């Protein structure tokens, strides 16, 4: 059995470690979770919001807003994850179901490649994000200034002028920023991995379509024989006997798998519908504010570097979301071509007719969209539109400043 849900082990362990995913419904873990929410989520962001509200200069507002907006949206994604936890766990279980298991060595290779990509992407982000956070934290010590300041634009009800208060405040900000990373990385990589793994299922369907009409030796056995697979096999075999063609039942199995993939994509979109839209909207705000910080303000070299790193991190976050969604669109478009690779000249008229109907079904693109005030789709074209729109808003802000 290929356990595709193991692709999410790192995310679940990270959330559990920091108190945001109770694995056993434990009472002491619940208290620990409450502590993390109050101290390192609510208070941590509240101090930054108070700073933005109380300052009067546009430069101070910009310095605090570009990072605070991102943190607030990260909390929104975490709350969304907690609310939809049961639905997301259901998607994990579907990936391990019998219909999503490989039925040939070629299908196994496709799914293993998708799983490897999902795990590789997760580990890469788990390296890059903490590195960016660490560089941001040490930036006050690298700046050419007479006095070292705390690295976040925040208001505190205590003075940070003495050494002890400064060190404690600095550690609070440092740990709070890493806690933010600890819940935003799983929130982001879960949807990335879901998109990659369902794209692997579409590729697997393409492999199965190419094999139609080709008789292969029975050298691969699926270890899962649950009731769903038994019912599908029984239904396909009955149709093959009734229509007098063994290939008729195989095409029906492909149609059922295609239907299950569409249902999975639909459930995924239903869960992340609003999050996808607001990811695009928040990205525009962050690009504009960070670009304003870099170009318009007289900051030191190290501050420019930290803001560039932050902008690149947010840019990569949106790019990966659009890239994985774009792969689903591209792979779904290849299914019709995969049908032409099968040995269709062996099919009788009834089998050919059902194959033509299936080809019509595959002509419709599989799209993952975000619907709120407007509809946006996950594609590389949408990513480029967001970058262009962000630059347009930034140009307006720059002209207003001049």
């Amino acid at each position: 059995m290929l356990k595709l849900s193991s692709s999410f082990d790192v995310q679940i362990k990270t959330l559990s470690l920091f108190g945001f995913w109770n694995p056993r419904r434990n009472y002491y873990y619940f208290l620990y979770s409450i502590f993390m929410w109050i101290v390192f989520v609510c208070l941590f962001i509240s101090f930054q919001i108070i700073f933005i509200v109380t300052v009067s200069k546009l430069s101070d507002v910009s310095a605090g807003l570009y990072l605070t907006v991102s943190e607030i949206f990260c909390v929104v994604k975490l709350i969304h994850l907690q609310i939809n936890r049961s639905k997301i766990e259901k998607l994990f279980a579907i990936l391990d179901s019998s219909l999503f298991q490989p039925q040939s060595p070629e299908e196994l290779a496709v799914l293993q490649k998708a799983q490897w990509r999902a795990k590789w992407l997760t580990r890469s982000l788990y390296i890059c994000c903490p590195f960016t956070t660490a560089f941001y934290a040490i930036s006050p010590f690298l700046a050419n200034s007479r006095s070292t300041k705390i690295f976040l634009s925040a208001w505190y009800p205590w003075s940070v002028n003495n050494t002890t208060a400064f060190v404690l405040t600095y550690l609070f900000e440092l740990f709070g920023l890493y806690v933010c990373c600890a819940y935003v990385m799983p929130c982001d990589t879960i949807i990335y991995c879901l998109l990659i793994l369902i794209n692997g299922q579409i590729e697997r369907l393409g492999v199965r379509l190419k094999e139609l009409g080709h008789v292969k030796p029975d050298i691969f056995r699926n270890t899962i024989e649950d009731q769903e697979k038994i019912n599908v096999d029984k239904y396909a075999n009955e149709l093959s006997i009734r229509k007098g063609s063994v290939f008729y039942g195989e095409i029906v199995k492909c149609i059922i798998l295609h239907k299950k993939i569409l249902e999975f994509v639909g459930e995924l979109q239903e869960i992340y519908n609003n999050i996808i839209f607001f990811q695009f909207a928040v990205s525009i705000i962050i690009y504009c504010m960070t670009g304003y910080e870099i170009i318009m303000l007289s900051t030191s070299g190290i501050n420019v570097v930290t803001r560039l790193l932050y902008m690149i991190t947010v840019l990569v976050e949106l790019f990966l979301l659009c890239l994985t969604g774009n792969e689903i669109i591209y792979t779904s478009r290849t299914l019709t071509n995969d049908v032409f690779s099968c040995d269709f000249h062996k099919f009788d008229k009834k089998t050919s007719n059902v194959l033509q109907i299936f080809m019509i079904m595959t002509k419709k693109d599989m799209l993952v969209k975000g619907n709120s005030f407007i509809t946006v789709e996950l594609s590389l074209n949408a990513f480029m539109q967001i970058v262009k729109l962000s630059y347009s808003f930034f140009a307006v802000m720059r002209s207003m400043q001049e």
Side-chain angles (χ1 to χ4, degrees), residues 200 318 338 377:
L318 182 63
D338 293 333
E377 67 178 38

Side-chain angles (χ1 to χ4, degrees), residues 312-324:
I312 292 172
T313 301
V314 178
L315 192 68
V316 169
E317 180 184 14
L318 182 63
F319 173 75
L320 291 174
L321 185 62
C322 293
L323 178 64
T324 50

Side-chain angles (χ1 to χ4, degrees), residues 276-318:
I276 291 173
F277 171 80
F278 285 109
Q279 179 72 60
F280 279 81
V282 171
S283 296
I284 294 175
I285 297 174
I286 293 174
Y287 298 153
C288 293
M289 300 304 299
T290 310
Y292 179 87
E293 279 281 298
I294 293 173
I295 296 178
M296 300 304 298
L297 302 181
S298 56
T299 56
S300 62
I302 191 63
N303 288 330
V304 171
V305 173
T306 56
R307 281 155 177 77
L308 278 174
L309 281 174
Y310 176 71
M311 178 181 282
I312 292 172
T313 301
V314 178
L315 192 68
V316 169
E317 180 184 14
L318 182 63

Side-chain angles (χ1 to χ4, degrees), residues 52-92:
I52 296 172
V53 173
T54 54
V55 296
S56 57
K57 293 183 179 180
L58 180 60
S59 59
D60 293 333
V61 174
S62 176
L65 189 62
Y66 82 98
L67 190 60
T68 306
V69 169
S70 179
E71 291 172 353
I72 292 173
F73 183 59
C74 290
V75 174
V76 172
K77 287 194 284 189
L78 178 60
I79 296 173
H80 172 268
L81 182 70
Q82 300 286 344
I83 294 174
N84 294 278
R85 174 175 172 174
S86 59
K87 294 181 179 179
I88 295 173
E89 289 177 333
K90 180 182 176 182
L91 294 182
F92 295 168

Side-chain angles (χ1 to χ4, degrees), residues 34-35 100 133 139 143 164 197 204-205 252 254 294 310 313 320 331 347:
I34 293 296
F35 170 78
F100 278 17
T133 303
S139 60
T164 303
L197 292 175
R204 171 181 162 242
L205 175 60
V252 169
C254 291
I294 293 173
Y310 176 71
T313 301
L320 291 174
T331 309
F347 301 161

Side-chain angles (χ1 to χ4, degrees), residues 176-227:
L177 210 55
Y178 270 105
V179 169
C180 183
C181 280
Y183 60 75
V184 72
M185 289 188 299
C187 290
D188 289 338
T189 53
I190 282 176
I191 184 173
Y192 298 158
C193 292
L194 286 171
L195 292 170
I196 291 173
L197 292 175
I198 198 60
N199 182 69
Q201 292 293 336
I202 302 173
E203 291 180 350
R204 171 181 162 242
L205 175 60
V207 170
R208 181 173 289 191
L209 290 172
K210 293 177 182 178
E211 294 175 349
L212 288 174
H214 300 281
V215 179
K216 289 194 171 188
D218 191 10
I219 59 175
F220 188 87
R221 289 286 184 181
N222 189 348
T223 57
I224 296 182
E225 289 290 342
D226 60 9
Q227 191 61 42

Side-chain angles (χ1 to χ4, degrees), residues 15-22 26-44 78 82 179:
L15 290 170
S16 300
L17 178 63
F18 287 89
F20 302 115
W21 191 283
N22 193 340
N26 186 282
Y27 174 74
Y28 295 104
Y29 186 92
F30 176 75
L31 296 179
Y32 168 65
S33 180
I34 293 296
F35 170 78
M36 296 297 292
W37 271 98
I38 293 176
V39 177
F40 294 106
V41 176
C42 298
L43 288 179
F44 181 71
L78 178 60
Q82 300 286 344
V179 169

Side-chain angles (χ1 to χ4, degrees), residues 118-130:
K119 291 183 177 181
W120 178 85
L121 177 61
T122 300
R123 290 165 184 168
S124 299
L125 289 178
Y126 267 63
I127 294 173
C128 295
C129 290

